[in-house]
Amino acid sequence: MAEVVLKSVNKMYGNVQAVKDVDLHVRDKEFMVFVGPSGCGKTTTLRMIAGLEEITSGDIYIGERLVNELPPMDRDIAMVFQNYALYPHKSVYDNMAFGLRMRKFPKPEIEKRVKDAADILDIEMLLHRKPRQLSGGQRQRVALGRAIVRHPQLFLFDEPLSNLDAKLRVQMRVELKRLHERLETTAVYVTHDQVEAMTLGDRVVVMKDGLVQQVGEPLELYNQPKNKFVAGFIGSPAMNFVEISIAAESGGLWANNAAFQIKVPPAKLEALRPKVGKQVTLGIRPEALQIANGSTPVESSFQASVEVIEPLGSEILLNVRCGTNDMVARVDPSIRVKLHENIRLALDPARLQFFDSDCELAL
Amino acid sequence: MVIEHKWKKWVYFIIPMAGFIIFTLFPFYWMAVTSFRPDGELYRSWRAANATPFWTLSPTTEHFRDLLTNTAFLQWLMNTMFVALVATAISLVCGLFAGYALSRLKFRGSEFLGTAIFITYLVPQTLLFIPLADIIRNMQIGNTPWALILTYPTFLIPFCTWLLMGYFKTIPKELEECARIDGATRFGAMVRIVFPIAIPGILSAGIFAFTLSWNEFIYALVFLSSVEEKTVPVGVVSELIRGDIFFWGQLMAGALLGSVPMAIVYSFFVEYYVAGLTGSVKG
């Protein structure tokens, strides 16, 4: 059980800065997920916590200890790798026992821990097999088992589910979450999949270009993204972005565009007043767009034509075009629309988000 | 392979394959036949009425008996074995560590070092034996097995290093990282995880090194002078060709016996050897 603290951690590869001034506090027993596009520095950060990469500058603490100079073996961590990294020449049992043997645990203790872990993960019948005789999902479990037998202070996961097929991935995701609740060990998990990040993480760190963009609980990231990148990265389908200009008219503020004119909700008035006459980016979540009905006020709706219909069963995704803007609306599955039909879409004023067009920060 | 017509299979597969097999194996067959052929048949003209160049009607073991009793062949065999084993062992150990370092450790000039080692392998032996002879003389180990044991690694180490370097690169580095997190030092991870996985590569490097030392001719010819110190390739050639007389029967018997140990080594490790050359590690 331990917290992990990163203090202005930097990593340089030659002249390339892979990780920039990361400050982070992972709480005890927390499941922290790093998410971001490839090359954003999330894996590098994880590997620095593991001790597999040297830190260019900054400090990393695991528990109370400063671990900057500690080799991986002395950090009391366990790591699950993307390709599982099972030792191909050892049986499943020996794979799981390896870490304990290296630490000179007594034999009965090793046996007990391996059996316990195998029981938790439901792999007792595989203990005598070699890794090559296992399916992808089974290998994944063995890799997990090898990590949990150690009872480490900290679990590190490096995209552990990305080699599994979609169905198995969902299943393992649930199991991982259950496992974390049971073991109550601090975990740092790296993924590029925002769905995985949202479902697994107690808190999520969004990274881009080596910089932490935002740290927060999943819904906090979804509802109050700090910038345009986080808003666009979290959520599927992604948030719609429309370039608009702000105009002051008849006592209110209006978000104008060649194709529509929308009244700025009262909550955003203060933030947007300095932007009058300037360009800003409007962000609309797909579910904040609905088909308008008779009672929808004109100032929060606009015309659009349906370009593509994606009926997913539980919902329908409408790809619509409004002027030069393409948008996606997530609507009720009972709604019937035709391709190329002109429809009127209503947006939920309370859920509009505005971003500075230059610095991309939320307004 | 899907082949729709039978004749196509013959034209494109069976006949070329048969030709290739005959081409490859005929010298060995010739060697074997010659070693069992009595002298009377050996020196008979091809145009003689009773000539049977491709087989023998009265096989004899006289050449083998002659080889084993009248020459120091067994001693040569022992010498070759000793030199080949020790030189291979030295080269494998050096090659293992060098190959690991070049494939895994990032240090200044590692790529240059790798290329430099490879280039030393390309320096022809026919050029290298002259300076080496000088060194051997200064060290006063001429005409001893150590002259060969210490010079063979000059071409074996680069060879082993390169073969093993390639093999190590196929082993995912996560395995080592995982071992290091599991509680092994870098050296421990190398010895406990990487080396066992690299066994096919190590075996094929070993077999190759052993073969190269077993067959080596120039250094053995130059650095050894007394009959009882010689290796098989040199001994057979220098003792069984006297002046311009070739003792073909004994020569071929020596060649046949000399290749038996290699055949045994290869047949034992053929599976590992193929895996080592194709280099595949399945996690």
Side-chain angles (χ1 to χ4, degrees):
Chain A
M1 313 301 123
E3 50 179 30
V4 179
V5 179
L6 281 73
K7 285 187 181 159
S8 39
V9 171
N10 283 282
K11 176 71 190 181
M12 305 283 296
Y13 289 112
N15 291 325
V16 182
Q17 183 150 21
V19 175
K20 293 173 195 160
D21 276 324
V22 171
D23 281 294
L24 197 63
H25 183 181
V26 184
R27 299 174 195 134
D28 187 20
K29 298 177 190 175
E30 190 172 34
F31 201 116
M32 181 69 104
V33 179
F34 290 4
V35 68
S38 56
C40 72
K42 56 192 191 298
T43 297
T44 308
T45 309
L46 187 82
R47 288 171 58 85
M48 286 193 288
I49 299 174
L52 297 172
E53 299 280 347
E54 284 187 19
I55 306 165
T56 308
S57 68
D59 288 323
I60 296 181
Y61 296 85
I62 298 176
E64 303 290 296
R65 283 191 304 170
L66 178 67
V67 296
N68 289 13
E69 302 293 326
L70 278 186
M73 57 186 285
D74 295 329
R75 297 194 180 196
D76 198 12
I77 51 174
M79 184 156 166
V80 178
F81 290 85
Q82 179 172 5
N83 61 5
Y84 319 132
L86 300 180
Y87 310 130
H89 59 303
K90 290 177 184 290
S91 69
V92 168
Y93 183 93
D94 290 337
N95 259 283
M96 290 167 72
F98 181 75
L100 300 173
R101 287 191 183 134
M102 292 306 293
R103 288 184 158 72
K104 308 263 187 302
F105 274 72
K107 217 174 168 196
E109 173 71 8
I110 295 179
E111 200 158 311
K112 183 179 168 296
R113 286 200 187 186
V114 173
K115 289 268 151 55
D116 285 351
D119 183 46
I120 294 175
L121 294 164
D122 207 16
I123 51 173
E124 296 114 311
M125 62 293 175
L126 306 175
L127 284 178
H128 58 277
R129 291 209 200 159
K130 285 277 173 69
R132 65 173 170 278
Q133 298 166 302
L134 305 178
S135 69
Q138 290 169 330
R139 286 179 200 190
Q140 179 60 69
R141 280 164 200 275
V142 175
L144 276 176
R146 192 170 59 178
I148 66 178
V149 291
R150 295 256 320 279
H151 301 176
Q153 284 196 68
L154 172 66
F155 283 125
L156 301 175
F157 299 94
D158 186 9
E159 310 214 15
L161 304 185
S162 55
N163 282 1
L164 299 177
D165 64 57
K167 199 175 167 191
L168 205 54
R169 199 179 309 162
V170 174
Q171 191 189 332
M172 285 305 290
R173 210 162 69 197
V174 176
E175 280 195 41
L176 267 178
K177 188 141 194 174
R178 205 175 284 154
L179 197 64
H180 179 248
E181 267 164 35
R182 179 167 174 171
L183 299 173
E184 293 193 316
T185 305
T186 317
V188 177
Y189 186 106
V190 163
T191 177
H192 61 265
D193 179 353
Q194 53 93 17
V195 178
E196 229 167 88
M198 300 287 277
T199 50
L200 280 171
D202 293 327
R203 285 193 302 155
V204 177
V205 181
V206 183
M207 289 185 77
K208 184 197 170 198
D209 300 335
L211 283 166
V212 171
Q213 304 288 315
Q214 188 172 358
V215 184
E217 288 171 17
L219 290 181
E220 186 186 335
L221 295 182
Y222 191 79
N223 293 322
Q224 292 125 34
K226 275 194 182 152
N227 60 34
K228 191 180 162 191
F229 175 77
V230 175
F233 193 78
I234 301 290
S236 173
M239 182 181 261
N240 302 299
F241 293 111
V242 183
E243 289 299 317
I244 50 152
S245 59
I246 300 291
E249 246 174 71
S250 55
L253 289 186
W254 293 80
N256 293 332
N257 172 296
F260 65 81
Q261 188 174 39
I262 291 159
K263 195 165 189 191
V264 172
K268 298 285 181 186
L269 282 177
E270 276 312 305
L272 288 175
R273 209 173 295 281
K275 294 287 174 189
V276 170
K278 291 182 185 156
Q279 286 273 322
V280 297
T281 305
L282 169 63
I284 313 165
R285 290 278 176 207
E287 63 273 18
L289 284 173
Q290 292 299 328
I291 307 267
N293 54 31
S295 62
T296 310
V298 184
E299 70 243 31
S300 61
S301 64
F302 58 89
Q303 286 286 343
S305 70
V306 178
E307 302 269 300
V308 175
I309 303 170
E310 298 176 74
L312 299 182
S314 61
E315 62 200 19
I316 296 177
L317 300 181
L318 297 178
N319 291 257
V320 299
R321 178 161 268 250
C322 163
T324 55
N325 303 297
D326 288 310
M327 289 190 244
V328 179
R330 176 185 277 156
V331 300
D332 193 88
S334 61
I335 283 169
R336 291 282 166 267
V337 284
K338 288 197 212 76
L339 208 55
H340 306 307
E341 187 183 338
N342 267 315
I343 55 170
R344 199 163 180 80
L345 284 172
L347 37 79
D348 181 354
R351 304 202 53 187
L352 296 184
Q353 278 157 351
F354 296 88
F355 303 93
D356 190 300
S357 286
D358 299 320
C359 67
E360 304 202 334
L361 288 176
L363 293 168
Chain B
M1 192 163 57
V2 180
I3 288 177
E4 55 273 43
H5 295 297
K6 246 191 178 154
W7 64 266
K8 276 193 176 169
K9 192 176 177 183
W10 275 92
V11 170
Y12 292 115
F13 182 69
I14 294 178
I15 294 174
M17 194 68 178
F20 188 71
I21 288 174
I22 291 170
F23 182 78
T24 316
L25 292 184
F26 183 73
F28 295 95
Y29 172 73
W30 192 249
M31 173 176 79
V33 167
T34 308
S35 65
F36 288 107
R37 205 190 282 280
D39 273 338
E41 269 184 53
L42 267 176
Y43 298 106
R44 184 177 293 157
S45 164
W46 276 43
R47 273 166 297 189
N50 55 353
T52 53
F54 294 107
W55 59 87
T56 175
L57 295 173
S58 44
T60 166
T61 57
E62 63 170 297
H63 301 310
F64 290 91
R65 269 184 275 123
D66 197 38
L67 183 74
L68 297 178
T69 51
N70 295 341
T71 71
F73 185 79
L74 285 178
Q75 182 62 40
W76 299 339
L77 209 58
M78 297 300 291
N79 292 344
T80 317
M81 189 72 88
F82 176 66
V83 168
L85 281 178
V86 179
T88 300
I90 293 174
S91 310
L92 260 189
V93 171
C94 296
L96 262 179
F97 289 111
Y100 179 86
L102 289 173
S103 67
R104 278 294 202 274
L105 308 180
K106 284 179 211 141
F107 53 93
R108 270 176 92 91
S110 64
E111 268 182 39
F112 170 76
L113 192 61
T115 316
I117 289 177
F118 187 61
I119 288 172
T120 63
Y121 180 62
L122 298 181
V123 177
Q125 278 172 276
T126 41
L127 210 65
L128 210 53
F129 82 88
I130 302 167
L132 281 176
D134 196 41
I135 297 172
I136 296 292
R137 202 189 55 225
N138 287 335
M139 291 173 74
Q140 300 183 334
I141 50 172
N143 201 27
T144 68
W146 297 102
L148 302 186
I149 289 171
L150 295 181
T151 48
Y152 285 180
T154 57
F155 58 89
L156 293 183
I157 289 178
F159 173 79
C160 290
T161 304
W162 266 75
L163 201 148
L164 288 168
M165 196 169 95
Y167 200 84
F168 287 143
K169 279 184 180 159
T170 67
I171 299 175
K173 67 177 192 312
E174 284 86 354
L175 288 174
E176 255 170 286
E177 293 175 345
C178 194
R180 286 170 63 200
I181 289 173
D182 267 349
T185 56
R186 174 143 221 159
F187 188 80
M190 177 175 79
V191 173
R192 284 162 189 273
I193 303 297
V194 178
F195 288 177
I197 297 170
I199 280 176
I202 296 172
L203 276 178
S204 44
I207 291 172
F208 261 119
F210 188 78
T211 316
L212 286 173
S213 338
W214 189 269
N215 295 337
E216 206 285 330
F217 187 76
I218 290 179
Y219 291 172
L221 180 71
V222 175
F223 301 148
L224 305 177
S225 44
S226 61
V227 174
E228 61 274 18
E229 292 292 346
K230 284 183 175 165
T231 59
V232 171
V234 175
V236 165
V237 171
S238 61
E239 298 303 314
L240 295 173
I241 304 174
R242 294 174 196 138
D244 57 354
I245 303 168
F246 287 68
F247 291 85
W248 280 120
Q250 286 98 316
L251 267 172
M252 289 302 124
L256 190 65
L257 289 183
S259 49
V260 166
M262 287 323 299
I264 292 173
V265 169
Y266 271 83
S267 60
F268 258 112
F269 295 120
V270 65
E271 265 176 48
Y272 280 114
Y273 167 73
V274 171
L277 288 185
T278 51
S280 60
V281 176
K282 292 187 184 96

